[in-house]
Amino acid sequence: MKWDWNAVDAFMPDLWKGLLVTLQALALGSLISFGLGLVWALLARAPSRWVRWPVEAVTEFVRDTPLLVQLFFLFYVLPEWGLTFSALATGVCAIGLHYSTYTMQVYRAGIEAVPAGQWEAATALNLPRRRTWTAVILPQALRRVVPALGNYVIAMLKDTPLLMVITVLEMLGRARLFSQQHFQFTEPVTVIGVAFILISYLASLALRALERRLVR
């Protein structure tokens, strides 16, 4: 087997297009998972069991269901009920929803790690419940969970190729299309693998730098 650099050059425009879609899906999916995960975590601590139980049931169901099944359901089943979204929007929502059930557990651990004395001090100062959360508890909890949340960003990146099954042409989708059109599989798939390694490595370095900064 001979490596064909001409095939690599021909694939590069498709790679950049796929990379843009991959990063877009990753960024939007991360925002959804971080925001919704925090909402889940706060609702799971609600005083009323009629709030806690449905939240726990929904998040457990989503967490125990494969992301691939969720993608198929949102893309192929929801339109039968009159809910139609673009392939990319569907993929972003699926990734964000799926990983929000994991970031929920990260937030929960961060909140529980806040010393009990902080709660007692807020109560002694007669702070309103909202003020206690926004000024005392959440700032300390979020600082603790940033490294763990970053790990899920990398996990989401590695799951973006699943979007190919709902016609989203991210990096692997572009490689597959190029390979089918030119009958060359080795070069585009290898380039995609290297691209994922580089992105994951750079993200890991950024996370380590952020973690060191937060520890100061």
Side-chain angles (χ1 to χ4, degrees):
M1 182 183 64
K2 185 179 180 180
W3 182 264
D4 188 352
W5 286 105
N6 291 329
V8 175
D9 292 338
F11 175 64
M12 290 307 294
D14 290 329
L15 171 65
W16 294 119
K17 293 177 183 178
L19 176 61
L20 180 61
V21 174
T22 295
L23 295 179
Q24 185 178 359
L26 176 63
L28 296 177
S30 297
L31 289 176
I32 293 174
S33 68
F34 294 164
L36 189 56
L38 181 58
V39 172
W40 293 137
L42 295 178
L43 291 178
R45 295 180 62 89
S48 173
R49 63 184 179 181
W50 299 108
V51 176
R52 295 196 308 271
W53 289 357
V55 168
E56 292 174 358
V58 169
T59 55
E60 188 67 26
F61 175 80
V62 173
R63 189 163 51 246
D64 293 342
T65 308
L67 176 56
L68 187 59
V69 174
Q70 295 168 14
L71 284 167
F72 272 97
F73 182 86
L74 294 178
F75 191 67
Y76 294 106
V77 177
L78 287 188
E80 297 182 3
W81 297 350
L83 298 174
T84 304
F85 304 96
S86 69
L88 181 58
T90 300
V92 166
C93 290
I95 288 178
L97 174 62
H98 184 81
Y99 275 94
S100 70
T101 61
Y102 292 96
T103 59
M104 166 195 175
Q105 299 301 329
V106 174
Y107 286 125
R108 175 181 288 179
I111 292 171
E112 293 177 351
V114 176
Q118 298 295 312
W119 295 91
E120 296 169 357
T123 301
L125 292 173
N126 199 28
L127 292 179
R129 186 173 180 83
R130 174 182 292 183
R131 182 67 174 168
T132 299
W133 277 104
T134 58
V136 180
I137 304 304
L138 287 181
Q140 298 181 64
L142 294 179
R143 187 171 183 174
R144 288 178 167 86
V145 303
V146 166
L149 292 178
N151 291 333
Y152 281 115
V153 172
I154 297 176
M156 279 185 272
L157 170 66
K158 292 188 288 187
D159 273 346
T160 54
L162 292 176
L163 302 185
M164 179 179 61
V165 302
I166 59 171
T167 72
V168 175
L169 291 179
E170 40 64 64
M171 287 198 293
L172 185 59
R174 289 283 179 181
R176 179 172 178 268
L177 183 61
F178 180 89
S179 298
Q180 291 174 339
Q181 292 174 342
H182 297 84
F183 302 102
Q184 292 177 301
F185 294 87
T186 302
E187 291 81 5
V189 174
T190 302
V191 169
I192 290 301
V194 172
F196 272 108
I197 292 173
L198 289 176
I199 297 172
S200 298
Y201 179 68
L202 292 175
S204 298
L205 292 179
L207 290 172
R208 291 173 190 169
L210 180 59
E211 185 175 1
R212 287 194 296 269
R213 184 179 181 86
L214 291 175
V215 169
R216 292 178 184 175

